[in-house]
Amino acid sequence: MILRELSANSIKEKIIKREITAQEVVEDLFKWIGLKESLIKAYISLDKEGALLKAKEIDEKLNNGGRVGLLAGIPVAIKDNICTWGMKTTCASKILENFTPPYDAFVVKRIKEEDAIIIGKTNLDEFAMGSSNENSAFHVTRNPWNTDCIPGGSGGGSAAAVTADMAFMALGSDTGGSVRQPSSFCGNVGCKPTYGRVSRYGLVAFASSLDQIGSITKDVSDAALLLQVVSGHDCHDSTSANVEVPDYIAGINSVNNNLRIGVPKEFFGEGLNPEIESAVKNALGIYKKNGAELIDLSLPHCGYALATYYIIATAEASSNLARYDGVRYGHRSQLSEDNIIDMYSRVRAEGFGSEVKRRVLLGNYVLSAGFYDAYYIKASKVRNLIKSDFEDAFSKVDCIISPTCPSPAFKIGEKITDPLEMYLSDIYTIPANLVGIPGISIPCGFTTTGLPIGMQLMGKHFEEEKILRIAKLFENETDFHLKKPGLK
Ligand code: GLN
């Protein structure tokens, strides 16, 4: 048995039973990171010293018979757009290269209280804008299944770290798919909860009405565990929902009676890789064999989701990113300026990469006086139509199943010069963000070239428990989640 290959739940059990110490787990993990990180490059920063200190504290508590938290001794990686007190939070941008937050994000505070061990901050596309990790200002993370391929984005660092067994679980953020898409490309379980279920306090804002913190884990039980810890109301986030948090950990093992699964035709059309189509159809067959009823559906406005997203997301991004002006914090140009406007433009020209600039420009355009009604208002109306499509669907079914992405992980460099082609990789994940519903990607197969395939389950608002349970049913019947890339 190789320790680092265990699930988070299993390693925690071993630590609690004192079969191994938390310090041994951390030492073992950093030894492996030392061997493989130069190839995968999942992290922007690592904190071995901090991790060992926390591990020691947990070991002492356990040795003295003290109570430990739900994540006792589990090494966790955090996407580098989630604020960590005293640890740099760069958003993979030059503009925040030296920013050390004076506070912890809500989710970070929660996992620390539950005795998780934070081992480092993971790579992402700059400000979470991208689908491949290639927009990071620092380096490109590689997919552990094939290091010529991207790990997905924007949370490719978190997904690659979990797949390469360089973290037992990870936190990410999902604005249009950045938890689910990299999870599908790397063969993990990626869960984006309902908008408002998990506080965004301390998550660096990209598009505030779409952003949601989520989890990347090795299996569904680990997803339930992490979601249990980070869910709940927070008065620091005005969009945080004051809705009771069910017991996800116990819930995933309840029985699925009279399950009705919706299969939307718009998610199986043109552009879908045939190997992915057949893997998801096989998975649907497994549900059917287990007593589920498959119901064909149509979500007629989903064809407009991508266009709607790129208006709303860029509009919100242009407003959120206006704060990076070099005055209070962040990058400041070394060149002298004659006036404040020159200073702002120099700071932003030097600090932002090209994708961020493209989005700020697009966002300002769609919000500008002459175009606001034609683009932003129109997009908001279409968003409501997409929402009603899902409401209609959920009056007939318990969950909707689709592929997570139309293609498997692609080669580094393959799509970087064609932004539209890149944007298409989120076509199936974006609707859940526009509507605010929960979505989870689970492994459901491999291509003939050995790349993981992900399947997406979407549920009604606040019904994470149900989709986790339905995901667990599939996991119980298959072993895709147990496969490992050959990184020996
Ligand atoms: N790839 C999408 C984008 O670039 C989604 C990113 C995300 O979810 N953070 O906007």
Side-chain angles (χ1 to χ4, degrees):
M1 176 200 52
I2 302 170
L3 275 184
R4 61 174 182 270
E5 293 189 351
L6 294 176
S7 70
N9 271 296
S10 315
I11 201 77
K12 175 178 100 174
E13 199 182 308
K14 288 200 173 300
I15 293 170
I16 289 178
K17 286 192 180 148
R18 303 276 72 199
E19 288 170 28
I20 185 149
T21 66
Q23 290 169 89
E24 281 164 333
V25 171
V26 171
E27 288 286 5
D28 184 66
L29 198 71
F30 273 94
K31 208 155 112 201
W32 179 244
I33 292 173
L35 291 173
K36 297 296 164 190
E37 174 60 1
S38 57
L39 173 67
I40 304 295
K41 297 193 175 128
Y43 287 93
I44 288 179
S45 56
L46 284 157
D47 181 22
K48 185 173 176 184
E49 210 182 309
L52 279 171
L53 263 175
K54 180 76 185 177
K56 191 163 170 253
E57 179 195 314
I58 294 159
D59 286 333
E60 277 165 8
K61 256 201 258 184
L62 283 166
N63 291 341
N64 297 329
R67 198 201 79 88
V68 288
L70 276 175
L71 302 177
I74 301 175
V76 182
I78 297 179
K79 188 175 178 183
D80 207 21
N81 61 348
I82 300 178
C83 287
T84 38
W85 175 84
M87 265 175 110
K88 271 188 195 170
T89 299
T90 68
C91 290
S93 179
K94 282 206 193 109
I95 216 152
L96 287 179
E97 193 167 4
N98 292 310
F99 172 60
T100 304
Y103 69 106
D104 274 330
F106 176 85
V107 291
V108 172
K109 186 168 164 273
R110 276 275 173 98
I111 66 165
K112 281 183 175 171
E113 283 165 1
E114 294 298 332
D115 287 326
I117 299 177
I118 295 172
I119 44 173
K121 305 292 297 283
T122 53
N123 197 22
L124 64 151
D125 288 290
E126 186 176 3
F127 283 101
M129 296 175 189
S131 306
S132 68
N133 243 259
E134 292 163 294
N135 297 332
S136 166
F138 306 131
H139 54 255
V140 182
T141 299
R142 290 171 182 273
N143 190 316
W145 291 93
N146 177 342
T147 51
D148 292 334
C149 290
I150 53 94
S154 64
S158 280
V162 172
T163 300
D165 296 317
M166 300 198 295
F168 284 81
M169 45 173 43
L171 285 172
S173 65
D174 192 311
T175 305
S178 283
V179 158
R180 289 161 290 156
Q181 187 255 32
S183 294
S184 110
F185 285 0
C186 289
N188 302 315
V189 172
C191 177
K192 179 204 95 74
T194 307
Y195 183 77
R197 174 57 97 193
V198 177
S199 166
R200 290 181 294 113
Y201 178 69
L203 166 67
V204 178
F206 161 9
S208 308
S209 78
L210 302 157
D211 294 344
Q212 178 61 59
I213 289 180
S215 59
I216 298 182
T217 56
K218 297 183 183 183
D219 61 28
V220 176
S221 308
D222 285 0
L225 174 66
L226 190 48
L227 190 61
Q228 194 78 60
V229 171
V230 297
S231 295
H233 182 245
D234 173 23
C235 60
H236 292 109
D237 171 2
S238 62
T239 60
S240 161
N242 203 348
V243 174
E244 202 186 323
V245 179
D247 187 340
Y248 298 121
I249 301 170
I252 51 167
N253 291 313
S254 349
V255 204
N256 290 282
N257 281 328
N258 309 322
L259 201 57
R260 290 161 311 160
I261 294 177
V263 186
K265 68 168 191 253
E266 289 79 6
F267 287 64
F268 290 86
E270 205 190 325
L272 175 60
N273 172 303
E275 286 190 291
I276 297 186
E277 177 167 5
S278 80
V280 176
K281 295 230 159 119
N282 281 340
L284 287 168
I286 293 181
Y287 279 112
K288 196 165 175 195
K289 212 183 79 207
N290 279 276
E293 185 188 349
L294 304 181
I295 298 173
D296 288 329
L297 286 178
S298 173
L299 299 164
H301 298 95
C302 273
Y304 305 107
L306 197 68
T308 307
Y309 171 86
Y310 275 98
I311 290 170
I312 293 175
T314 54
E316 294 183 14
S318 68
S319 160
N320 274 326
L321 270 62
R323 74 192 67 176
Y324 304 104
D325 54 12
V327 176
R328 285 149 297 183
Y329 59 95
H331 173 76
R332 184 75 176 254
S333 177
Q334 295 304 307
L335 300 165
S336 64
E337 301 95 3
D338 295 333
N339 58 54
I340 195 147
I341 302 292
D342 284 353
M343 181 214 134
Y344 287 163
S345 36
R346 197 160 281 150
V347 161
R348 292 165 69 84
E350 289 174 8
F352 289 143
S354 55
E355 183 62 26
V356 173
K357 284 177 185 155
R358 181 180 295 124
R359 300 210 187 188
V360 169
L361 287 174
L362 197 58
N364 278 304
Y365 178 78
V366 300
L367 289 179
S368 59
F371 297 105
Y372 182 77
D373 288 344
Y375 292 110
Y376 187 73
I377 294 289
K378 189 60 134 313
S380 305
K381 288 181 180 164
V382 178
R383 184 178 190 175
N384 279 333
L385 292 173
I386 298 171
K387 206 167 162 207
S388 355
D389 283 358
F390 278 87
E391 274 161 13
D392 284 353
F394 285 124
S395 66
K396 301 183 204 103
V397 297
D398 296 293
C399 99
I400 293 175
I401 288 189
S402 76
T404 308
C405 301
S407 75
F410 40 90
K411 290 266 164 64
I412 293 173
E414 194 180 318
K415 299 191 178 178
I416 195 70
T417 51
D418 187 348
L420 282 183
E421 181 66 25
M422 188 74 92
Y423 295 171
L424 277 172
S425 73
D426 296 307
I427 194 157
Y428 301 144
T429 47
I430 276 172
N433 299 80
L434 288 170
V435 179
I437 52 173
I440 181 168
S441 175
I442 57 172
C444 74
F446 287 88
T447 63
T448 41
T449 54
L451 291 169
I453 297 174
M455 161 168 81
Q456 175 176 230
L457 288 75
M458 290 175 278
K460 256 193 200 164
H461 290 99
F462 299 104
E463 289 200 345
E464 288 79 7
E465 190 196 347
K466 195 187 263 181
I467 56 167
L468 284 166
R469 194 176 352 120
I470 302 172
K472 183 76 165 89
L473 190 164
F474 182 76
E475 200 176 80
N476 288 344
E477 298 286 314
T478 53
D479 64 356
F480 302 116
H481 63 290
L482 297 173
K483 300 262 190 289
K484 296 277 173 192
L487 273 182
K488 301 284 170 278

